[in-house]
Structure formats: C-alpha cells, structure tokens
Amino acid sequence: GLGGNKGWKPAWRDPDPKPEYDIVIIGGGGHGLSTAYYLAKNHGLTNIAVLEKGYLGGGNVGRNTTIVRANYFLPGNQEFYSHSLKLWEGLEGELNYNVMHSQRGLINLFHSDGQRDAFARRGNAMINQGDDAELLDREGVRRHLPYLDYEQTRFPIYGGLLHRRGGSARHDAVAWGYARGADRRGVDLIQNCEVTGIDIENGRVTGVQTTRGAIRAKKVGIIVAGRSGQVAAMAGMRLPVESHILQAFVTEGLKPVIDHVVSFGMGHFYISQSDKGGLVFGGDLDFYASYAARGNLPMVEHVMEAGMTLMPMIGKAKVLRSWGGIMDMTPDGSPIIDKTHVDGLFIDCGWNYGGFKAVPASGWCMAHLMATGEPHEVARHFRLDRFVTGHLMDEEGTGSQHN
Ligand code: FAD
C-alpha cells in the first residue's frame, strides 16, 4: 500500500491451457486446489491443470462461516476430520501463508437432558479418537460466554460441549495458500475455463471439453461442490446429491466481544467474530434445491430470531451483508471420495454444510486416491456405492446443527 501498489507480483501464473495433462482437476475451490497441491507435494505429480469456471476461491470456499473442528461421532468421519484438524494445525507452516487459523474453542450448547447425554457420548467418542472435548455445565458455559441469555426459559441453557482445538480460519486465504503452493510446484491454475463435457472412450476418460477448448487428460477429478450433480451428469452419472442454498451473514465491525465459536443447540444458529470485528453467523439451509448463490427472506428471519433468543445483545449490531452458497447435500450427510464407473475418472463431493474444515484432508485423500488408485486409510468409508449397499454414515445432524 505505501508503495502505491506498484510492482506487486501475482501470487500465481496465469497460463493458457496446454493440449494435454496427466491430471485435470475440475473446480478451483478449496478441495480442488488442495488436491492439486498434495498431488504435487506428496506424490511428485506436477503435469496437472486445475480448471475453474470463474475465479479461484469464488465458490463456497470463500463464502462459508469458517468453522473448523473435529467433533464427529461416527467411525469413518471421526478419523477423517481428526486427520484434517491435524493438517490445519500445521497449515501455515506448510503453505508459508497466513490462513489465520485460530483455535479459539468451539462450544456446542445443549438445552435438555437428552441433548446432554448425546453430547456426552459425542465428547467421549472425540476423546477416544484422540481429540479433545470437555463437558461444561451451565455455570461452566457462563464462565466462557457470560453474554448469553441465561434467563430465557424457552430454550434454557443446560451446558455445552467445549472443543478447545476447534475454531476458525480466513476462508479465502486457504484457497490462495493452496493455489500459490500448487502453482509453485508447477500446477497450471486456469481460471475462466468452464468444463462443458467429459470425454470417454471405451469406458476410460480421455479428457474434457471446456470453454477454452478441448484438453486431453489421463485422469480427471470432479471436485465442484454445489455443481457436482451437473458435472457428473457429463459422464452419465446420477449422483445421490441435491444442491441447496446455505446463507451466511456478517455485521459491521465491533470491538472484540465473542471470542469463541458458539453453536445453539435448539435452533440453527452459529456465530464467531472475525479478526476484522464482524460477527459472522449462519443457520440452516433454505430447503429447496437451487443453484442460486443467494437466499430467501424467511431463512434470514429464522436465523435472526435464533440469534436474538440466544444472545439478545447482538440485536443492536447492524448486518452489513448476506450471501448464499450452493451445498452438495448427500442423504446421509457424509461425503464421497471415490473412483467412478469410468476408468480414470474420480469424484470428491457431498460435503454438505461442512466441507471447509475438510479442505486439507480431502485434498490429501483425493490426491492419494488419484495417484495410487487406492483409497486413503482415513477416507475409505467415503464410497459412492454406500447408497446402493445401504452402508450409510448418517451424521447429518453434525453438519446441520454445528457446521
Ligand atoms: P467451491 O469453493 O464451491 O469450489 C468448487 C468450484 O468448482 C467453484 O469455484 C466452481 O466455480 C467450480 N466449478 C463448478 N462447475 C465447474 C465447471 N463445470 N467447470 C469448472 N469449474 C467448475 N464448512 C465448514 O466446514 N464450516 C463452516 O462453518 C461452513 N459454513 C458454511 C457456510 C456457508 C454459507 C456455505 C455456503 C458453506 C459453508 N460450509 C462450511 C461448507 C463449505 O464451504 C463447503 O463444503 C466447501 O467449501 C465445498 O468445497 P470447495 O471449497 O471445493 O467448493
């Protein structure tokens, strides 16, 4: 800034697409970029292009409420998110990029005896997995969050589950950090390049059609979050995924007041404060399938009401902006990292409301799968055929209630 913004070097190159790559990744969001990064870093594969129809980080990776946690309950999810949190803990050193990962502690509130039991079980599962959890009673919560309304009787606060290693991060910095790291290892990041078709010959993927011409590839990864159903259809697949809108909100900048991530247990509301001072919060899905990156007013009202019930003090803050992102929802709330029926074509999708925290481990595991042909140990349950065999991993509540 003091230098008049002159002489700044771009953080990554802007190459034209080559006619052929070993690997093409469709989608320049968090998961696509981290996959490219780990393909290069962990597997030494660098003849790779990431094709992004808009700009890098313009999708959900730059639209989410940035909650990072490892508090899943089911085997399959637990080890994956535990691995992801460990990667987060070293991410700034790994990427040499300030992603502002802040382990300020996540508190999930509970409001009934039944909810307390469920959170006690979850906390024990987290501890068994090697992660951290502490069950707080009402006074324990009050010591951390004195500003909640402890007098309201509609949803009385019984206590909370504290996950000290949970927190948040600067969302788009995560995309930029992985982008720069991948670019420096030789990956071509190609923006304004929409994939419009997937070429398949004799059951094997041979490349993609794009708005910048045809590109041949030995392997292709579909990593397009809310657009998964559309892009998979280009390969003749009908995914068990529906696209829904999730909204988020930010207020004007305030002095530091909320120094945890807090999640309401009786409605859909979660909140944290960004380093710029804005209160960042969200709620539930808009509940109709859509590809619009904006939301509806009834959900705005619902989220504001839940916030006011929990912490009436935020009522004076002015909301500056709201926006929406397109969620790739699976029926069981768990993701997919798998091969497809087409040789050389892989898919990473179904992140529901919770894929930001998964960015490091998803890239790590997708890269492993694409490079070796075998699922990574911690992602081996994320199979596409579980919707055929019935081996579902129904953890929808974790996504919907706590992001
Ligand atoms: P994206 O960033 O959407 O990347 C997909 C990319 O693919 C896009 O850039 C898109 O342009 C590109 N693409 C699509 N079609 C094509 C095509 N045909 N050709 C080329 N490119 C294409 N998760 C959490 O863990 N914690 C949270 O607190 C949280 N809160 C959320 C709040 C909101 C409001 C939203 C919207 C999401 C939230 N999530 C949260 C979920 C998380 O953001 C997503 O699960 C995750 O970002 C999805 O993966 P991605 O980053 O790769 O997606």
Side-chain angles (χ1 to χ4, degrees), residues 46-84:
T46 54
N47 186 18
I48 300 173
V50 176
L51 309 181
E52 166 54 47
K53 74 172 177 163
Y55 60 93
L56 297 181
N60 292 336
V61 71
R63 290 171 177 264
N64 65 84
T65 45
T66 72
I67 302 174
V68 173
R69 58 184 166 86
N71 64 349
Y72 283 69
F73 179 64
L74 291 182
N77 278 330
Q78 272 198 329
E79 55 266 40
F80 175 82
Y81 288 100
S82 185
H83 180 58
S84 207

Side-chain angles (χ1 to χ4, degrees), residues 5-27:
N5 296 348
K6 295 193 190 83
W8 285 15
K9 293 201 184 91
W12 49 81
R13 297 166 297 125
D14 186 19
D16 287 326
K18 292 193 277 197
E20 182 164 1
Y21 290 91
D22 290 338
I23 298 178
V24 157
I25 302 292
I26 311 174

Side-chain angles (χ1 to χ4, degrees), residues 26-31 51-53 59-61 63-67 193-195 223-225 227 231 246-248 325 327 351-357 403:
I26 311 174
H31 294 243
L51 309 181
E52 166 54 47
K53 74 172 177 163
N60 292 336
V61 71
R63 290 171 177 264
N64 65 84
T65 45
T66 72
I67 302 174
C193 181
E194 179 171 357
V195 170
I223 316 183
V224 293
R227 300 279 172 179
V231 176
L246 182 67
Q247 301 191 54
M327 309 286 81
W351 293 99
N352 294 270
Y353 333 68
F356 179 65
K357 70 183 76 64
N403 242 326

